[in-house]
Amino acid sequence: MYYPDEVVEEVRASNDIVDVISRYVKLTKKGSSYFGLCPFHSEKTGSFSVSREKQMYYCFGCGAGGNVITFLMEYENATFPEALKTLADRVGIRLPERAATKEEREAADLKSALLEVNKEAARYFYYQLKAKQ
């Protein structure tokens, strides 16, 4: 389902990233950021950083990063609508139920395809940077 950017931004802004991630990862405050063990790869020292000011997370070990929505998508292996609904329910925001128009669906499909292409390109270039050549 397609949701307007304003609704997505309202849900994202209403969910503090530190509060959400701390339900899944034990975080310790160090300076202005919070650190913990990355849930996306195994490690012994905490390289997973969460910034309340920026509302972003980043792992210095594996390179995972994003906002509260992308965290839920990655951690729970959820789709964008599922993650958005979970976060909206958490803060009591009701998501619109209307069906998307044909143009909105096409735009959302194009955006999703472009994001997937960019993810694959990023994975390829990351692999090339780390490869011994």
Side-chain angles (χ1 to χ4, degrees), residues 8-28:
V8 173
E9 181 57 26
E10 179 186 4
V11 171
R12 190 199 60 75
S14 298
N15 282 277
D16 180 62
I17 195 164
V18 173
D19 294 340
V20 172
I21 292 179
S22 64
R23 292 177 153 205
Y24 302 93
V25 178
K26 184 177 186 266
L27 298 174
T28 305

Side-chain angles (χ1 to χ4, degrees):
M1 171 172 257
Y2 172 80
Y3 296 105
D5 291 340
E6 300 81 28
V7 172
V8 173
E9 181 57 26
E10 179 186 4
V11 171
R12 190 199 60 75
S14 298
N15 282 277
D16 180 62
I17 195 164
V18 173
D19 294 340
V20 172
I21 292 179
S22 64
R23 292 177 153 205
Y24 302 93
V25 178
K26 184 177 186 266
L27 298 174
T28 305
K29 186 169 182 165
K30 293 181 184 174
S32 63
S33 294
Y34 293 79
F35 287 87
L37 297 177
C38 181
F40 304 118
H41 76 282
S42 60
E43 63 180 356
K44 294 181 181 174
T45 59
S47 63
F48 187 73
S49 171
V50 182
S51 171
R52 179 169 271 145
E53 292 79 30
K54 296 177 186 175
Q55 288 295 300
M56 301 287 288
Y57 71 91
Y58 183 76
C59 176
F60 294 98
C62 69
N67 62 29
V68 68
I69 298 170
T70 57
F71 177 82
L72 269 189
M73 288 173 64
E74 291 293 323
Y75 191 86
E76 297 283 343
N77 196 22
T79 64
F80 179 80
E82 291 169 342
L84 191 67
K85 180 167 179 12
T86 299
L87 292 169
D89 290 346
R90 182 178 178 275
V91 294
I93 295 175
R94 186 166 181 194
L95 295 176
E97 299 282 332
R98 74 172 181 84
T101 65
K102 180 180 177 185
E103 292 81 18
E104 290 172 334
R105 284 192 308 272
E106 288 173 355
D109 290 345
L110 177 62
K111 184 177 181 180
S112 178
L114 290 173
L115 284 172
E116 286 303 314
V117 167
N118 280 315
K119 280 183 186 178
E120 287 303 315
R123 285 186 188 107
Y124 170 79
F125 287 113
Y126 179 79
Y127 174 79
Q128 293 299 320
L129 285 171
K130 296 293 182 180
K132 291 184 178 180
Q133 292 180 359

